[in-house]
Amino acid sequence: MENRMSLEFDAKSENESFARMTAAAFVASANPTAPELAEIKTAVSEAVTNAIIHGYENSEGIVKMEGKISGKMIEFTVTDEGWGIEDVEKARMPLYTGKPELERSGMGFSIMESFMDNVEIESAPGMGTRIRLVKNLEI
């Protein structure tokens, strides 16, 4: 079974929970376990939060979220056209944050990587960021 979805929404904090719930509703048809569903929701929420807070830095913008189910493989892609990340490898380090004044721990990528089987990050300054999250459900 294969299924796809695509969604665009304003880069506003109030849309983080909308994205999280949409991801959960979409994945439900693949019959994930409760822990798998919680992990997917958290990883998607972290990617969306990064796009809103770091991608656009309180300016207007659009976040794109795409989902794909192929058998037991779940894939989400979260894309913004914001500021981009200067050093992706540095940003992946636990506790790194580009916004220390916001009192955030900067563990978003670490959380995504601990909950998903594969996390790919494509980004360049001024070009935005694309995060691809993949999880293979238990069979």
Side-chain angles (χ1 to χ4, degrees):
M1 171 184 89
E2 187 166 305
N3 193 16
R4 295 177 182 269
M5 60 83 69
S6 181
L7 178 68
E8 289 186 6
F9 49 90
D10 287 337
K12 296 182 178 182
S13 292
E14 56 262 39
N15 287 332
E16 293 169 23
S17 62
F18 171 66
R20 183 181 174 96
M21 293 290 95
T22 301
F26 179 70
V27 170
S29 67
N31 199 28
T33 64
E36 288 171 332
L37 184 59
E39 291 172 353
I40 292 166
K41 286 174 21 180
T42 300
V44 168
S45 181
E46 288 293 329
V48 168
T49 298
N50 280 357
I52 293 169
I53 291 175
H54 298 289
Y56 293 109
E57 297 185 16
N58 297 319
S59 61
E60 291 186 12
I62 299 292
V63 177
K64 297 175 186 173
M65 185 173 87
E66 297 176 311
K68 177 181 169 184
I69 299 172
S70 184
K72 290 292 182 178
M73 193 238 3
I74 307 296
E75 177 181 334
F76 279 96
T77 304
V78 177
T79 307
D80 69 67
E81 296 178 357
W83 296 102
I85 302 169
E86 188 171 323
D87 186 340
V88 171
E89 291 311 309
K90 187 175 181 181
R92 287 180 104 133
M93 294 174 60
L95 301 178
Y96 172 80
T97 181
K99 301 276 180 219
E101 69 278 7
L102 295 180
E103 297 182 19
R104 293 184 171 263
S105 62
M107 297 187 303
F109 289 127
S110 296
I111 290 170
M112 289 179 238
E113 289 171 339
S114 69
F115 287 156
M116 304 301 281
D117 295 319
N118 187 35
V119 176
E120 297 173 9
I121 305 163
E122 297 174 14
S123 188
M127 301 298 290
T129 302
R130 180 180 176 271
I131 300 173
R132 182 175 172 261
L133 307 165
V134 177
K135 183 157 191 83
N136 294 301
L137 302 179
E138 294 178 11
I139 297 177

